[in-house]
Amino acid sequence: MSRRETYEARTEELLKPIAQANEVEIYDVEYVKEGGDYYLRAYIDKEGGVNILDCENVSRALSEALDQEDFIPDAYILEVSSPGLGRTLKKDKHLKKSLGREVEIKLFKPVDKCKEFAGVLEGFDQEHITILEGDSLRTFARSDIALIRLALDF
């Protein structure tokens, strides 16, 4: 397991009782370097969406737990937020919740001269994701997908 994966997993373990106490679910945890700064991001969600108070309460409790454990030697910025409307679907649990919903897929390399596709998420397995694009099913190898997220429909 990489350093990043270790930090994310340990943070998620610390976050579990905090999320439960605040009646939110953990959507994702990521540890990334952007520019010269490291960010530890916890995305939380709940039915009807999270609000600023949810984020504030979880952030304070998580910050205290991280200070006690002190397992990340780098200086980092802690952020707690909602995954947003156009949320990225990274894990199987995200895909499962999004079955039947409109998604956008961006590929690493073009297929039929196109790198972006949109359609209704019809299914997935360990190796493939299938969408209904118009009247046709289109299946993509997961390894070819750079990004899949919920489509914003305004």
Side-chain angles (χ1 to χ4, degrees):
M1 195 181 294
S2 72
R3 183 175 71 125
R4 176 189 57 81
E5 291 169 325
T6 301
Y7 295 166
E8 290 171 354
R10 287 190 68 186
T11 300
E12 192 161 341
E13 285 304 311
L14 287 177
L15 187 53
K16 283 179 182 177
I18 296 167
Q20 186 175 7
N22 286 277
E23 300 178 344
V24 298
E25 70 179 61
I26 302 166
Y27 187 81
D28 198 14
V29 174
E30 67 180 11
Y31 183 75
V32 296
K33 186 172 185 179
E34 293 177 0
D37 295 320
Y38 286 99
Y39 290 85
L40 179 61
R41 293 189 176 115
Y43 297 98
I44 59 173
D45 202 10
K46 70 178 181 184
E47 196 64 40
V50 295
N51 59 42
I52 191 73
L53 190 57
D54 295 321
C55 294
E56 183 180 332
N57 291 337
V58 170
S59 180
R60 284 189 178 144
L62 181 57
S63 181
E64 287 177 21
L66 288 164
D67 286 347
Q68 286 179 341
E69 294 289 320
D70 198 27
F71 59 89
I72 302 175
D74 311 308
Y76 61 89
I77 299 164
L78 174 64
E79 294 180 351
V80 176
S81 69
S82 160
L85 293 175
R87 60 191 60 190
T88 302
L89 308 175
K90 293 182 180 179
K91 301 177 181 180
D92 284 354
K93 70 178 185 177
H94 303 152
L95 292 166
K96 187 175 181 181
K97 266 187 149 176
S98 301
L99 285 168
R101 297 186 65 189
E102 183 88 14
V103 296
E104 297 172 348
I105 293 178
K106 294 186 181 186
L107 303 177
F108 290 113
K109 294 185 256 177
V111 171
D112 299 330
K113 298 182 182 179
C114 191
K115 287 177 77 172
E116 296 184 19
F117 298 86
V120 175
L121 181 61
E122 288 293 313
F124 66 95
D125 60 29
Q126 289 299 99
E127 297 178 11
H128 300 94
I129 291 180
T130 301
I131 63 170
L132 179 63
E133 184 183 42
D135 292 331
S136 2
L137 288 176
R138 187 179 277 270
T139 299
F140 301 94
R142 282 179 116 165
S143 60
D144 294 340
I145 297 174
L147 173 77
I148 180 169
R149 67 176 171 211
L150 289 180
L152 295 176
D153 189 21
F154 292 102

